[in-house]
Amino acid sequence: MSKNVLITGSTSGIGLGIAREFARAGYNISFNGLEKNGAEIAAAVGKEFGVKTFFSDANLMDPAAIEKYIGETEKNLGHVDVLVNNAGIQFVSEIENFPVEKWNAIIALNLTAAFHTTRLVLGGMKQRNWGRVINIASAHGLVASEFKSAYVAAKHGIVGFTKVTALEGAPFGITANSVCPGYVDTPLVRGQVADQAKTHNMSEEDVIAKVMLMKHAVKKFVKTESLGALCVFLASDHAELITGTAIPVDGGWNAQ
Ligand code: NAD
């Protein structure tokens, strides 16, 4: 029987890339995200790869909505074998002017939502003696950059939470790992490259190498499908002893 994976924030960017690789590997997917065409995106992936899908636009800032979403997934697809906490937002400002509501929103989505999804699926995983929790942190889960206080705090937090999940899950065949991407090739990032090239009168290649990927040793964006392939591997039985880790996929940023 096919396994089920629940991926938050999976109707855009990295989450969608991860969903596509799990679908390619034959998993049924529980999609979530705020994109207006989320249901169509989920259905299209299901059709392309011949797997079952479910979609919910649950706002993960709301614990009651998270609980409802998990229940609906179980009703429509069955239990959650693999949980990928991916949904996240960013805001950039110096600390003294960081809007309090932005701080609260980033902590609520990038950190607390993952606590709620995890606490709601872990009991079932323990009963079945098998489970995988994969948290999409960031290179900013391991190092800091100025002006990203809430994001860096939340991402360091999720790396710590992942380690606790790994220890509590270990006796029950459950692994938990963080994936820590550098800059990822998403439509949003590509748009920024084009804008900055115009603003600075630079070629797009120079913007990528000298501005955006300043901290990458390898001057390339991470591909969403590479992150998806890593997640599929972490969910496999070959990865049963990889747990409690934070895996950088950042072109050598963390080596410096
Ligand atoms: P994205 O904006 O393309 O996708 C984010 C997804 O989260 C979307 O589907 C969006 O609808 C959903 N979402 C946002 N707020 C939500 C809410 N309140 N409730 C439910 N869903 C919500 O972003 P992305 O670049 O694909 O980022 C995905 C994850 O990867 C984030 O956790 C981000 O921090 C992390 N990350 C991104 C990069 C990068 O370069 N893009 C690098 C490292 C880590």
Side-chain angles (χ1 to χ4, degrees):
M1 214 179 67
S2 302
K3 286 198 168 85
N4 300 319
V5 54
L6 183 153
I7 308 167
T8 66
S10 45
T11 44
S12 173
I14 295 171
L16 180 55
I18 294 171
R20 288 181 57 79
E21 294 313 306
F22 272 107
R24 198 187 302 283
Y27 287 74
N28 301 318
I29 318 276
S30 176
F31 281 89
N32 155 259
L34 302 184
E35 282 65 33
K36 292 266 179 302
N37 58 342
E40 288 90 80
I41 292 171
V45 173
K47 194 166 166 215
E48 183 178 349
F49 296 102
V51 297
K52 283 202 266 177
T53 61
F54 172 71
F55 167 72
S56 162
D57 63 359
N59 182 346
L60 304 183
M61 305 251 188
D62 173 7
I66 297 177
E67 194 155 355
K68 185 161 170 260
Y69 169 41
I70 305 272
E72 287 170 348
T73 297
E74 288 170 344
K75 211 165 129 205
N76 283 276
L77 295 181
H79 56 250
V80 176
D81 297 295
V82 181
L83 168 66
V84 182
N85 289 303
N86 165 77
I89 47 172
Q90 171 66 285
F91 189 82
V92 178
S93 166
E94 63 279 28
I95 293 169
E96 63 273 28
N97 293 317
F98 208 96
V100 172
E101 68 279 8
K102 292 284 184 199
W103 172 279
N104 288 338
I106 289 174
I107 301 298
L109 183 64
N110 298 17
L111 180 58
T112 308
F115 158 67
H116 289 300
T117 53
T118 306
R119 80 178 166 81
L120 290 164
V121 301
L122 211 57
M125 288 179 175
K126 283 185 176 177
Q127 274 171 16
R128 293 184 296 277
N129 258 301
W130 199 92
R132 296 286 185 266
V133 179
I134 302 169
N135 293 323
I136 306 306
S138 166
H140 284 119
L142 302 168
V143 290
S145 292
E146 59 276 65
F147 313 128
K148 296 184 177 175
S149 54
Y151 188 85
V152 169
K155 295 297 188 182
H156 275 67
I158 194 100
V159 167
F161 178 64
T162 308
K163 292 178 186 174
V164 178
T165 310
L167 296 181
E168 293 187 16
F172 303 94
I174 300 164
T175 71
N177 292 284
S178 302
V179 172
C180 300
Y183 287 95
V184 184
D185 198 352
T186 60
L188 191 109
V189 168
R190 283 286 159 183
Q192 286 174 9
V193 170
D195 287 350
Q196 292 209 21
K198 249 192 216 153
T199 313
H200 300 299
N201 199 20
M202 289 165 85
S203 69
E204 292 198 6
E205 291 69 37
D206 274 356
V207 168
I208 291 171
K210 293 181 184 153
V211 183
M212 304 212 66
L213 297 184
M214 206 171 56
K215 293 185 172 168
H216 279 214
V218 182
K219 302 293 181 191
K220 287 182 182 172
F221 287 117
V222 181
K223 294 192 175 84
T224 59
E225 52 267 46
S226 309
L227 296 171
L230 173 59
C231 291
V232 171
F233 175 71
L234 288 173
S236 74
D237 286 332
H238 291 301
E240 66 176 340
L241 265 69
I242 302 177
T243 195
T245 70
I247 304 175
V249 187
D250 64 0
W253 179 346
N254 268 278
Q256 299 170 61

